[in-house]
Amino acid sequence: MEEQIVDVLKKSQLSVTDSRRKILELFLQADSAMAHHDIETKAGEKFDRVTVYRTLQAFLEKGIIHTIPTPDNSVKYALCKDNCEQGHHHDDHVHFICKICGITTCLDDVHVPEIKLPRGYKTQQTEVVVSGICKECS
Amino acid sequence: MEEQIVDVLKKSQLSVTDSRRKILELFLQADSAMAHHDIETKAGEKFDRVTVYRTLQAFLEKGIIHTIPTPDNSVKYALCKDNCEQGHHHDDHVHFICKICGITTCLDDVHVPEIKLPRGYKTQQTEVVVSGICKECS
DNA sequence: CTGCATTTTGCAACATTGTTGCAAAATGCA
DNA sequence: TGCATTTTGCAACAATGTTGCAAAATGCAG
């Protein structure tokens, strides 16, 4: 794990610091998306709020994580699985939010469909977020 | 217009007040979704920030407007076109965000596709937000 | 039209979330 | 190990959202 963490950071040309190590570890351990607040809490009192913001910002820019828009507009972050280049997240999977347990997950195997738009519109990115009841809760 | 405004409010069992009138008017005039901040600004200095929050809350509950999740997680609100019952918004259209002009619109004619989820997951609502370049900007 | 119960508003105060500048500390490279 | 560069933590601030409560507005009955 530690090895993997350092590896990811180096590949992204980020220097290896305690906060980045810790926050990346949280993402690797998590099986669902996390809100900023979750991350702050889970990281313990070790890190300043500002550091968490800046670390997430750096991870976003490097394509290590991506954000998930939610209907209640709370920001969630999740690890990018692969082929996410610098600053260019290629999100082709559907996100799921359970209305019971509240957990947000990436359904990596469910791809976003192509949406046919009216004449004149150009698609650059499509976000699909499904809300409902997850495997565990049903 | 004024007639329509009063009509909508009465149908939703909301008493007709200045702030509700004004804010509903903004929605009826707007051809795109508005952020809370837009509404506050456009309503002028006439209304308290808190009143705007509470008015939007009331409109949401009554199904007069709906929220649109955006990738940058800024909350946007737009009028519901029809068949939105009390507290039960039935959102079956796709939302579009232009990366150039920043405008968020409801593509009422573009319906959200059905997403087939893995065994065990139950869909209650599907949100589709497409980002790209709009008719006007391309 | 008037009076009155009820709802809504505005204010104040507060909590949360996010941003910026800068000195001190940590990183990584020679 | 030393040093240039990056990152962190702190402080201060801005923006966003929430709550309680008294004053004002609404709408309904008479």
Side-chain angles (χ1 to χ4, degrees), chain A residues 11 21 23 27 36 42 50 62 71 76 79 88 94 97-98 109 123 125:
Chain A
K11 265 191 188 146
R21 242 200 293 253
I23 291 175
F27 276 111
H36 179 99
K42 286 186 188 168
V50 179
K62 298 297 185 178
K76 298 257 176 143
L79 266 190
H88 203 80
V94 168
I97 301 175
C98 179
D109 299 331
T123 297
Q125 198 185 91

Side-chain angles (χ1 to χ4, degrees), chain B:
Chain B
M1 165 82 94
E2 178 61 25
E3 203 176 316
Q4 188 187 358
I5 289 171
V6 173
D7 190 54
V8 170
L9 290 177
K10 290 219 164 140
K11 265 191 189 147
S12 301
Q13 297 165 283
L14 289 172
S15 50
V16 180
T17 67
D18 284 354
S19 64
R20 286 175 185 164
R21 241 201 293 254
K22 180 62 185 174
I23 292 175
L24 186 48
E25 191 188 343
L26 288 178
F27 276 111
L28 287 167
Q29 288 171 340
D31 50 352
S32 62
M34 293 183 288
H36 179 98
H37 185 262
D38 299 332
I39 298 165
E40 241 181 83
T41 309
K42 286 186 188 167
E45 318 215 330
K46 258 187 96 182
F47 305 108
D48 193 82
R49 223 156 48 81
V50 179
T51 301
V52 176
Y53 277 106
R54 288 195 275 225
T55 302
L56 290 174
Q57 196 55 45
F59 285 4
L60 278 176
E61 274 163 18
K62 297 297 184 177
I64 299 175
I65 58 175
H66 63 279
T67 59
I68 303 170
T70 68
D72 72 328
N73 276 89
S74 62
V75 199
K76 298 257 176 143
Y77 302 89
L79 265 191
C80 291
K81 288 298 146 62
D82 40 25
N83 65 5
C84 279
E85 298 147 39
Q86 289 263 116
H88 202 80
H89 173 62
H90 217 69
D91 208 7
D92 64 341
H93 62 269
V94 167
H95 293 115
F96 187 86
I97 301 175
C98 180
K99 289 200 173 166
I100 295 178
C101 64
I103 276 181
T104 302
T105 46
C106 296
L107 301 178
D108 295 296
D109 299 331
V110 184
H111 295 268
V112 310
E114 201 186 324
I115 306 284
K116 210 169 153 53
L117 300 183
R119 183 171 294 280
Y121 287 89
K122 289 204 190 84
T123 298
Q124 284 178 359
Q125 198 185 90
T126 304
E127 284 283 350
V128 177
V129 181
V130 179
S131 311
I133 301 171
C134 76
K135 227 169 28 186
E136 317 299 325
C137 292
S138 64

Side-chain angles (χ1 to χ4, degrees), chain A residues 17-37:
Chain A
T17 67
D18 284 353
S19 64
R20 286 174 184 165
R21 242 200 293 253
K22 180 63 183 172
I23 291 175
L24 186 48
E25 191 188 343
L26 289 178
F27 276 111
L28 287 167
Q29 288 171 340
D31 49 353
S32 62
M34 293 183 288
H36 179 99
H37 185 260

Side-chain angles (χ1 to χ4, degrees), chain A residues 15 17 19-20 46 48 51 54:
Chain A
S15 51
T17 67
S19 64
R20 286 174 184 165
K46 259 187 96 184
D48 193 82
T51 302
R54 288 194 274 225

